[in-house]
Amino acid sequence: SRRLELLQGLNTFFSGHDGDQHLAAVFRQEERSGLKAAMIGRTIVLLIIGLWLGLSRNYPQNLIIVAVVMTFVCIGLIHLQLLGSRYDYSWVKYLFATIDALMLGLCIAFTDLSLLAPGLEPVMLYRFGVFPWLVLLIAAAAFAYSPGLVLWTGICTTFAWIVPWVRIVEQMDRVVDWRDIPVGATREQYLAIFFDDHFIGFGSRAQEAIALILVTLLLMLATRRARAVVRRQAESDREREVVNRTFGRYVPAAVADSLIAGGGTLAPVEREASVLFVDIAKFTTIAESLKPEQVVDMLNAYFDVAADAIARHGGVINQFQGDAVLATFNVPVEDEAHATNAVQAALAICGAVSGRQFAGQSLRVRVGVNTGPLIAGSVGSRGRQNYTVHGDAVNLAARLESMNKEYGTDILLSETTVQQAGEGFSFRAVGEAEIRGKTGRVALYTVTS
């Protein structure tokens, strides 16, 4: 039933609505974090550019440049403030990408180059090394892990670069282009055309547009790949969460982590361990007086209490057998104080069961604890395995549990458990008994506190 529950949990994750919501939340968080990093980086870069251009350009061009740069900075800071707020809608990042491109296009279209030299054609702006900065806009969009945003930013940036050029060219009374350079032109003829302020460089603009598109596509692919990595990591984390949540009710987190790391199996081991076996006294009589659903409710309530007491003291539940629970201490998780913890768990179970009801029923439990060598590991077929323990130590613990009826006790302990549990308990010897399969008589103890 535990394996089935785990598989159902994993199925819910991989195909259910909860898994989709989880991944969507992960991507929203990653996009938000990436955009914050991009906005902070963008602000720093713009401030550096503004400082450099403000100091390296003459008045009044430097003031205009600083004003434009600070406008871009303010736009970025507004976007930064909106990230994570109630106004952070999915389309907001596309809006700010559009605003950036629109501002860039307006700056290109309406830059007055007469401040540099009277009568200088506006198309000369395309000769001033502005183009490389366009790539930064597209690169910043990649921080959001959103291929759609990268594509949109690339499209907007390309239009912001080309559309003003078309507008400028349409307003020129004369244009010069590469085709105006004659075949076999001299150096003087070539430079005369190339440095003419009416030179529009159609081929160069086409190359730049293609370069922007290619950069956009490459960054989009890189973003998709990064998004796939995030998805795989989120699925892995979610799977670990499901496994931990499912197994965590029965085993400590360390065991669940070992199961995940080992692909659902635990390596076989032979060592000394303490075994606790507990069941409900007169369970058959109680069950016969109840309806099936009442029996299930009672057992579930009881198992919650028993499992909690065992887990709190470092034990691992190996099996639920009807109304009985088999737990081990020191396997699979090593525990030097396994005997002490097993005795404490036995007392905790008896204390938790006493004085309360489970689905309307008062219960009494019997516990047997033994310490000795055993073999533990995952056994079964390829498709179905269980973590089990084998050895005389296990058999003796089960035998001690049933012998509580003969001695009128709730807890029976073997001598090895008493010796290793040490001081701090109130042990009492109750006698010796012959145990089938063991030579000699076995000393029996009980513990009251």
Side-chain angles (χ1 to χ4, degrees):
S1 60
R2 282 177 287 170
R3 186 179 295 274
L4 177 60
E5 186 175 357
L6 172 61
L7 292 176
Q8 289 174 339
L10 292 175
N11 182 64
T12 298
F13 162 65
F14 285 115
S15 61
H17 184 61
D18 290 344
D20 292 340
Q21 284 187 327
H22 174 77
L23 284 177
V26 169
F27 283 125
R28 281 197 301 271
Q29 181 59 37
E30 290 296 332
E31 285 183 6
R32 191 175 296 120
S33 299
L35 282 172
K36 284 183 178 180
M39 291 301 104
I40 294 172
R42 159 206 169 102
T43 302
I44 295 173
V45 169
L46 286 173
L47 289 176
I48 293 174
I49 293 173
L51 180 63
W52 163 250
L53 294 179
L55 294 175
S56 62
R57 298 300 187 270
N58 297 324
Y59 176 85
Q61 300 99 312
N62 57 352
L63 295 183
I64 297 174
I65 291 172
V66 170
V68 171
V69 169
M70 292 308 298
T71 301
F72 275 99
V73 169
C74 291
I75 293 173
L77 292 177
I78 292 173
H79 191 189
L80 184 62
Q81 290 297 314
L82 290 178
L83 289 174
S85 71
R86 59 176 179 156
Y87 301 107
D88 187 14
Y89 303 110
S90 58
W91 49 265
V92 168
K93 56 181 178 288
Y94 293 95
L95 173 63
F96 277 92
T98 306
I99 292 175
D100 276 344
L102 181 61
M103 285 287 297
L104 178 64
L106 292 174
C107 289
I108 295 172
F110 294 100
T111 296
D112 186 4
L113 294 185
S114 64
L115 294 174
L116 299 177
L120 195 62
E121 290 290 337
V123 77
M124 285 292 292
L125 182 67
Y126 284 81
R127 313 279 290 278
F128 290 166
V130 178
F131 174 75
W133 300 106
L134 304 181
V135 180
L136 291 179
L137 290 177
I138 307 173
F143 278 80
Y145 293 102
S146 173
L149 180 61
V150 173
L151 178 61
W152 178 252
T153 303
I155 292 173
C156 291
T157 303
T158 303
F159 273 93
W161 183 242
I162 297 301
V163 171
W165 176 81
V166 173
R167 177 183 175 275
I168 291 172
V169 171
E170 288 179 345
Q171 294 178 348
M172 294 174 65
D173 55 357
R174 179 177 66 89
V175 296
V176 179
D177 202 4
W178 296 105
R179 63 179 179 273
D180 295 313
I181 300 177
V183 177
T186 64
R187 176 177 177 273
E188 290 72 17
Q189 289 176 315
Y190 187 95
L191 293 178
I193 296 295
F194 185 77
F195 288 112
D196 193 315
D197 67 347
H198 287 75
F199 183 77
I200 62 174
F202 173 81
S204 300
R205 302 295 83 77
Q207 287 182 177
E208 291 162 352
I210 293 172
L212 287 175
I213 293 172
L214 290 177
V215 168
T216 299
L217 293 177
L218 288 173
L219 284 176
M220 199 173 88
L221 290 175
T223 305
R224 284 178 61 87
R225 184 175 177 81
R227 195 176 178 91
V229 172
V230 173
R231 175 181 289 275
R232 286 195 297 270
Q233 183 61 46
E235 290 175 348
S236 177
D237 291 343
R238 179 62 174 169
E239 179 181 354
R240 180 177 292 272
E241 178 186 338
V242 171
V243 174
N244 272 315
R245 187 173 64 243
T246 303
F247 281 105
R249 285 180 281 174
Y250 310 107
V251 299
V255 180
D257 289 338
S258 298
L259 284 168
I260 296 170
T265 62
L266 291 170
V269 64
E270 181 178 4
R271 70 163 68 113
E272 184 179 68
S274 293
V275 182
L276 181 149
F277 203 91
V278 54
D279 75 352
I280 300 172
K282 298 181 180 180
F283 172 74
T284 302
T285 302
I286 297 172
E288 288 176 348
S289 65
L290 300 175
K291 296 179 180 179
E293 58 270 21
Q294 292 176 311
V295 174
V296 172
D297 290 342
M298 179 189 70
L299 285 175
N300 284 335
Y302 160 68
F303 284 148
D304 280 341
V305 171
D308 179 67
I310 292 168
R312 278 190 291 111
H313 293 92
V316 176
I317 295 177
N318 296 94
Q319 296 179 37
F320 288 102
Q321 300 174 350
D323 64 310
V325 178
L326 171 63
T328 55
F329 298 77
N330 203 35
V331 287
V333 180
E334 294 190 38
D335 178 10
E336 294 182 358
H338 56 90
T340 300
N341 287 329
V343 176
Q344 289 176 339
L347 289 169
I349 293 172
C350 291
V353 171
S354 177
R356 63 174 292 177
Q357 292 191 328
F358 300 86
Q361 300 297 315
S362 297
L363 303 178
R364 179 186 174 189
V365 295
R366 297 188 294 252
V367 187
V369 182
N370 178 46
T371 301
L374 53 76
I375 298 173
S378 298
V379 297
S381 65
R382 291 184 179 179
R384 180 180 179 85
Q385 292 191 331
N386 288 318
Y387 185 76
T388 60
V389 288
H390 305 276
D392 288 340
V394 181
N395 299 331
L396 181 54
R399 186 73 182 96
L400 292 176
E401 180 276 317
S402 64
M403 291 175 65
N404 278 291
K405 292 182 287 186
E406 303 174 22
Y407 290 90
T409 54
D410 293 331
I411 302 174
L412 273 183
L413 313 170
S414 68
E415 187 173 12
T416 53
T417 299
V418 172
Q419 290 173 346
Q420 295 196 31
E423 300 178 356
F425 296 101
S426 180
F427 294 118
R428 177 172 60 86
V430 297
E432 295 181 346
E434 292 184 359
I435 305 296
R436 185 175 60 185
K438 297 190 72 68
T439 59
R441 299 176 67 82
V442 176
L444 307 179
Y445 295 83
T446 189
V447 60
T448 56
S449 63

